[in-house]
Amino acid sequence: MKDIHFKVNGKNVSVNCAPTKTLLDVLRDEFDLTGSKECCGKGECGSCTVLLDGVSVCSCLVLIGQIHDVSVITVEGIGLTSNMDVVQQAFVDEGATQCGYCTPGLIVSSRSFLDGINHVPTDDEVKTALGGNLCRCTGYTKIMKAVQTAARKQLTMEETTN
Amino acid sequence: MKVSEIEMISPQTVEECLYHLGEKDKTSRFIAGGTDAVVRMKDGAWLPDTWINIKQLDSLRYIKEEENGIHIGPLTTHTDIVHSGLLQKKADVLTAASKEVGAVQLQNMGTIGGNIATASPAGDTIPTLFVLDAQIELTSLMEKRIVPINEFFVGPGRTVQAQEEMITNIIIRPQTENEIGIFEKLGPRKAQSISIVNVAISLKMGEKSRECLGGKIAFGSVAPTIVRSEKCERMLTINPLHDEAIQDIAGAAWKEVMPISDVRASAKYRRSMASALLERGLYRLMKRWDER
Ligand SMILES: Cc1cc2nc3c(=O)[nH]c(=O)nc-3n(C[C@H](O)[C@H](O)[C@H](O)COP(=O)(O)OP(=O)(O)OC[C@H]3O[C@@H](n4cnc5c(N)ncnc54)[C@H](O)[C@@H]3O)c2cc1C
Ligand code: FES
Ligand code: FES
């Protein structure tokens, strides 16, 4: 057992648990942040994607002992029903979600992708950026559209605030 | 040993790492990005007494040019490699390979040191390290030694690295002005897939149209360790690399590789694909060279 201090969605937190527990299990079991999902548990599907110091990772492959002092952002930190992020709103508007199991991971990956670019991405760019996130329901067309819609919205918002 | 009983330490210096690695009464293993380590811990294959966590060891995360070559710290992630201007310019074959490792999340987590130490015959950066004449620095409490990449791997998952040694530096040859490289990979899916066959190619080009002055070709996943394709390399300089010459070189590749059949592909398929990937890689390289 070990005491581990880190940040989740901007708040300082600590847990006392085995250092080999995955970040995903800690988020779900200890903090009740059940947005991040476990699907494959092996880094293949992206349903557990979170940001560590701003960088997207699979939380099913991160051991809690490895993230001392690190800042974690989960899908809940990106937005909740009351304050949805443009990406989340675009997923709703475009109908880019069916069973929803993949959606939180896709939202986190899309947010991270859009933070790094300043244009409306092409289909190929979206495919590369989201290649680590599997969806078994939608067939991806609406997901790609949602990411492009969010990018467009974000650009107009930036223009009006500048 | 149960997963929940495994301990973890997070040393702040290389010396501390080596000290813990040398402890005789316990088994220990490094964990960097964890993309191989955690998968194998969950499978029950890797259950050391202690994980030595080196993810935070920023002193081993660097890319810099020195007199004897480009030095890459083992904790450098694939994303770091993809974004490095120095490597894009002087080791394009390596940036191309890191771009093909897993998907974005895996590139953000996985390190070059982990890719080398895991020593999978399908490890994507490894063939590129052969064409860039990489040297691996291994450090223990007793000594530091440099092992050329072609002596580093012994078999699938096996290297000359001893239990008490750590990979502390990777030195590669910078490509020359007239040198261009490419990495080609065949996997079951575009992102996130383990290579069925991969190939790294780096060519030095001359003044005349498509004149090749020499080059290196290394295949992965077609034998227990990486295969340098010396016959194909010799053929590179015979004729300018127009379509017919490329097809001849690619045609010779199947004799150079010794693949096995496994769950991912048959030996016969791997052989044909080795030729096909080499052909595609050479076409693409020549197109890029013509358009430069
Ligand atoms: C879904 C998925 C897809 C993948 N796709 C690819 C792919 O396309 N291509 C590919 O090549 N690989 C792939 N991999 C494998 C893996 O991501 C890479 O090999 C990665 O580079 C490993 O780095 P790491 O830092 O995560 O290693 P870890 O898992 O942290 O460590 C791996 C091994 O290396 C040892 N080690 C790490 N650093 C050092 C050091 N400095 N000195 C000595 N030993 C050390 C560790 O002890 C351990 O034994 C994939 C893995 C997953 C889960
Ligand atoms: S659950 Fe983590 S990648 Fe699938
Ligand atoms: S909506 Fe069901 S897996 Fe994507």
Side-chain angles (χ1 to χ4, degrees):
Chain A
M1 290 295 193
K2 243 186 169 159
D3 277 321
I4 294 133
H5 305 273
F6 57 107
K7 260 190 185 175
V8 176
N9 299 331
K11 267 204 275 227
N12 288 316
V13 296
S14 60
V15 281
N16 180 269
C17 67
T20 49
K21 195 163 174 172
T22 64
L23 171 59
L24 177 62
D25 285 345
V26 171
L27 290 171
R28 295 180 57 88
D29 300 349
E30 312 278 337
F31 297 110
D32 215 20
L33 291 168
T34 52
S36 314
K37 304 279 184 264
E38 175 150 36
C39 197
C40 67
K42 306 179 178 185
E44 285 171 14
C45 73
S47 67
C48 63
T49 306
V50 300
L51 305 181
L52 291 191
D53 287 338
V55 173
S56 64
V57 302
C58 299
S59 62
C60 69
L61 295 185
V62 175
L63 302 185
I64 196 71
Q66 293 188 284
I67 67 152
H68 207 80
D69 287 343
V70 168
S71 162
V72 183
I73 302 285
T74 68
V75 68
E76 292 90 345
I78 288 175
L80 297 170
T81 318
S82 53
N83 63 332
M84 279 209 272
D85 183 77
V86 282
V87 177
Q88 292 165 318
Q89 190 61 53
F91 269 64
V92 174
D93 294 346
E94 298 293 347
T97 178
Q98 285 181 32
C99 81
Y101 216 79
C102 66
T103 312
L106 275 161
I107 298 287
V108 176
S109 288
S110 306
R111 181 70 269 157
S112 161
F113 171 51
L114 293 184
D115 281 343
I117 61 168
N118 212 346
H119 62 274
V120 178
T122 63
D123 286 359
D124 276 348
E125 286 175 309
V126 181
K127 280 184 197 168
T128 307
L130 302 185
N133 292 78
L134 290 183
C135 172
R136 298 287 85 161
C137 304
T138 64
Y140 300 105
T141 312
K142 292 184 174 177
I143 293 174
M144 294 204 294
K145 217 162 153 227
V147 175
Q148 288 161 333
T149 303
R152 221 168 281 125
K153 186 111 172 260
Q154 184 170 305
L155 285 174
T156 20
M157 274 162 46
E158 275 166 19
E159 268 165 29
T160 44
T161 49
N162 283 344
Chain B
M1 177 60 67
K2 284 201 287 198
V3 167
S4 60
E5 290 166 358
I6 303 177
E7 291 185 41
M8 185 182 295
I9 47 169
S10 300
Q12 297 303 317
T13 64
V14 172
E15 289 67 37
E16 236 183 292
C17 289
L18 298 175
Y19 171 78
H20 288 296
L21 207 54
E23 283 182 308
K24 289 277 176 278
D25 51 334
K26 282 194 210 154
T27 58
S28 59
R29 192 187 265 277
F30 288 123
I31 179 166
T35 59
D36 283 317
V38 177
V39 172
R40 289 184 200 196
M41 179 184 80
K42 288 185 177 183
D43 288 347
W46 290 357
L47 298 168
D49 293 328
T50 309
W51 283 119
I52 306 177
N53 170 34
I54 52 174
K55 193 184 176 79
Q56 71 299 336
L57 212 63
D58 283 340
S59 62
L60 289 185
R61 185 172 175 184
Y62 53 79
I63 301 168
K64 55 187 182 192
E65 190 160 19
E66 304 273 338
E67 237 162 51
N68 65 342
I70 299 173
H71 291 211
I72 305 176
L75 268 300
T76 304
T77 65
H78 296 291
T79 299
D80 296 338
I81 291 174
V82 170
H83 291 144
S84 158
L86 175 64
L87 295 179
Q88 284 164 13
K89 187 151 174 273
K90 295 188 175 178
D92 62 358
V93 59
L94 176 58
T95 53
S98 281
K99 222 179 258 173
E100 296 295 326
V101 172
V104 175
Q105 294 95 322
L106 271 291
Q107 291 169 14
N108 287 341
M109 303 172 81
T111 63
I112 186 164
N115 202 232
I116 297 171
T118 294
S120 158
D124 282 324
T125 65
I126 302 173
T128 73
L129 296 173
F130 273 72
V131 305
L132 296 173
D133 303 316
Q135 316 241 23
I136 311 295
E137 180 186 272
L138 293 173
T139 309
S140 68
L141 279 178
M142 310 300 287
E143 63 164 358
K144 209 183 252 297
R145 61 179 177 133
I146 302 266
V147 182
I149 192 84
N150 59 347
E151 292 170 17
F152 189 79
F153 300 98
V154 186
R158 292 191 306 129
T159 72
V160 298
Q161 179 195 336
Q163 157 62 25
E164 66 276 9
E165 283 179 319
M166 175 177 195
I167 299 175
T168 44
N169 196 8
I170 298 134
I171 305 167
I172 56 169
R173 168 183 72 80
Q175 288 170 312
T176 52
E177 284 282 326
N178 61 336
E179 186 169 355
I180 52 171
I182 198 164
F183 176 80
E184 294 283 341
K185 160 174 177 173
L186 175 77
R189 150 181 173 211
K190 173 84 178 70
Q192 213 74 314
S193 61
I194 307 297
S195 288
I196 291 170
V197 182
N198 61 26
V199 63
I201 312 166
S202 196
L203 306 181
K204 286 189 184 156
M205 302 302 293
E207 299 280 310
K208 295 192 214 105
S209 163
R210 295 197 174 189
E211 176 195 22
C212 177
L213 306 176
K216 293 191 172 159
I217 300 169
F219 285 102
S221 228
V222 292
T225 60
I226 302 300
V227 175
R228 268 281 297 284
S229 183
E230 283 167 18
K231 184 154 185 239
C232 296
E233 287 176 6
R234 278 197 300 276
M235 291 171 75
L236 287 169
T237 53
I238 299 176
N239 285 309
L241 296 180
H242 294 295
D243 293 1
E244 208 174 308
I246 290 178
Q247 284 154 17
D248 283 347
I249 297 166
W254 72 273
K255 286 187 204 139
E256 302 255 275
V257 299
M258 305 154 271
I260 55 160
S261 295
D262 65 10
V263 285
R264 283 178 289 133
S266 70
K268 189 162 170 247
Y269 180 67
R270 280 203 166 90
R271 274 218 163 86
S272 327
M273 286 306 112
S275 285
L277 284 190
L278 178 57
E279 185 170 335
R280 187 166 83 190
L282 290 171
Y283 281 137
R284 287 183 174 166
L285 268 180
M286 285 309 105
K287 186 156 179 279
R288 222 166 78 204
W289 184 246
D290 291 343
E291 288 168 359
R292 80 187 179 283

